């Protein structure tokens, strides 16, 4: 089953036991914005996506749950 970005982000945050507030301080984003990402209401900008990938040590394809065919 393919995960959505919001599900993958939640999974990665849970793995590191990170709250939205803690992650917001690490990537210089608003915690409300991170909660909106987790709910699937909005997607991050490219610069924030890159910061998330760097922080979690994943590729953008992995974070966005893109599986090449």
């Amino acid at each position: 089953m393919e995960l959505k970005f919001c599900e993958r982000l939640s999974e990665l945050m849970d793995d590191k036991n990170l709250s939205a507030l803690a992650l917001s301080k690490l990537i210089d984003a608003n915690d409300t914005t991170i909660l909106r990402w987790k709910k699937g209401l909005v997607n991050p900008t490219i610069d924030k996506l890159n910061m998330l990938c760097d922080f979690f040590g994943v590729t953008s394809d992995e974070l966005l749950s893109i599986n090449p065919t």
Side-chain angles (χ1 to χ4, degrees):
M1 182 175 102
E2 198 170 298
L3 295 176
K4 295 179 183 177
F5 165 75
C6 58
E7 295 167 330
R8 184 68 177 128
L9 177 62
S10 293
E11 183 181 82
L12 291 167
M13 289 175 65
D14 288 347
D15 288 349
K16 292 194 177 269
N17 198 28
L18 278 176
S19 67
L21 181 60
L23 182 58
S24 73
K25 292 177 182 179
L26 293 167
I27 66 165
D28 191 30
N30 187 296
D31 61 323
T32 303
T33 299
I34 293 173
L35 290 172
R36 294 180 77 209
W37 294 343
K38 286 181 69 175
K39 290 180 181 178
L41 300 174
V42 295
N43 289 316
T45 60
I46 295 296
D47 63 323
K48 293 302 181 194
L49 180 67
N50 287 333
M51 288 180 174
L52 289 167
C53 290
D54 289 344
F55 177 75
F56 289 113
V58 297
T59 66
S60 58
D61 283 355
E62 291 171 317
L63 186 55
L64 296 172
S65 299
I66 297 173
N67 296 318
T69 54

